[in-house]
Amino acid sequence: MHRGAWRVWAVALSMLAVTMMFTDEARAERVELELVLAIDTSTSVNADEYELQRKGIAEALRHPSVLNAIAGLGEAGMALTIVQWSGSGKQITAVPWTRINSTPTALAFAAGVDRMPRRLKGFTDIGGAIQFSTASLLTNEFDGRRLVIDVSGDGTSDRNDPRIARDAAISQGIVINGLIIHSIDYDLGDLARFDLHQHYLHRVIGGPGAFLLNAESFQTFAESMRDKLVREITGPLLAAR
């Protein structure tokens, strides 16, 4: 093909790419917040504790304080998904991306959580969970003003250092918050609790206004998740600490 023809073809391809980019943006559904709830289903989380997490999320979404926070987002609302994660290469979308902008849509999502089966077990790879959640945020059909990953778990990473995935997510404008769950079955004392807190504080959470909460047990998970959702939906209030 003649060099001039190649140039015309290259320009045409560039214009097509730009057109497709703007078309994709036009098709994206605008929301105030895109939020991934990434929950730990590794082996350290037994069947009863998984049920407490599942029920805790559903209960939090039905709570008046969370419903009021959602109402405050206006018609655009938020987009929400749930990811289950455990070891390396073990992450799955458990509840698909859904727009939530009213009490009925929140209650419908909660009903979906009620039916959510446990899909994974294995080791603990927080970095893998963040990487999977980041990809989910960047490739879904929504266009959020804020992008947030909410990582909850009861242990430190036993595979990869999560700082690599965390820093990559932050570079994409994503905020990562954490919820530590202290498991009675695996409680190794105050030093282990301190190490878990430090692990999440320095290797997991990050981004403007990122924060870390503690659930004293799986039994108090619902209350902690409720408080966390209210803070994430209403926007960053405090810097990471």
Side-chain angles (χ1 to χ4, degrees):
M1 184 180 292
H2 191 271
R3 182 178 299 177
W6 272 114
R7 289 176 179 173
V8 172
W9 180 244
V11 171
L13 285 176
S14 298
M15 292 177 65
L16 177 61
V18 171
T19 301
M20 291 177 65
M21 179 182 69
F22 281 109
T23 301
D24 288 341
E25 289 181 355
R27 289 176 179 172
E29 297 184 44
R30 296 296 179 91
V31 291
E32 289 296 314
L33 169 68
E34 294 176 46
L35 175 61
V36 179
L37 299 182
I39 64 171
D40 184 356
T41 60
S42 60
T43 302
S44 63
V45 178
N46 65 34
D48 290 338
E49 291 168 344
Y50 169 75
E51 286 300 303
L52 288 170
Q53 284 191 91
R54 183 181 62 78
K55 292 178 180 178
I57 294 171
E59 180 182 322
L61 287 167
R62 294 184 175 108
H63 196 275
S65 62
V66 174
L67 294 176
N68 288 337
I70 292 170
L73 295 176
E75 182 62 27
M78 63 184 287
L80 180 63
T81 188
I82 297 180
V83 166
Q84 293 181 15
W85 60 272
S86 59
S88 179
K90 290 189 174 183
Q91 307 91 23
I92 193 167
T93 300
V95 181
W97 283 103
T98 305
R99 181 196 288 271
I100 299 175
N101 59 358
S102 64
T103 293
T105 53
L107 297 182
F109 192 94
V113 177
D114 286 333
R115 300 186 297 270
M116 180 180 69
R118 181 176 189 161
R119 306 284 296 276
L120 298 172
K121 289 184 179 180
F123 293 103
T124 306
D125 182 9
I126 300 175
I130 294 173
Q131 187 176 29
F132 182 90
S133 299
T134 298
S136 185
L137 280 168
L138 298 178
T139 58
N140 64 48
E141 68 271 29
F142 295 97
D143 179 15
R145 189 172 62 85
R146 292 184 288 123
L147 308 178
V148 177
I149 299 172
D150 178 333
V151 181
S152 59
D154 72 342
T156 59
S157 291
D158 54 18
R159 282 294 182 263
N160 303 312
D161 188 338
R163 288 180 295 184
I164 299 172
R166 178 202 62 188
D167 293 346
I170 293 172
S171 72
Q172 296 288 337
I174 297 169
V175 173
I176 304 170
N177 299 322
L179 174 56
I180 296 171
I181 311 167
H182 297 292
S183 172
I184 295 174
D185 292 341
Y186 288 85
D187 191 353
L188 301 178
D190 291 340
L191 181 58
R193 284 174 168 241
F194 176 79
D195 287 344
L196 179 58
H197 182 88
Q198 293 298 303
H199 186 79
Y200 265 73
L201 185 65
H202 297 296
R203 295 174 182 268
V204 178
I205 71 169
F211 63 91
L212 177 63
L213 294 182
N214 287 269
E216 287 306 312
S217 68
F218 280 92
Q219 284 72 19
T220 64
F221 177 84
E223 180 180 352
S224 299
M225 177 56 70
R226 181 191 71 208
D227 294 342
K228 196 162 189 285
L229 283 173
V230 170
R231 288 183 65 173
E232 287 165 338
I233 294 169
T234 56
L237 300 176
L238 299 173
R241 64 180 189 276

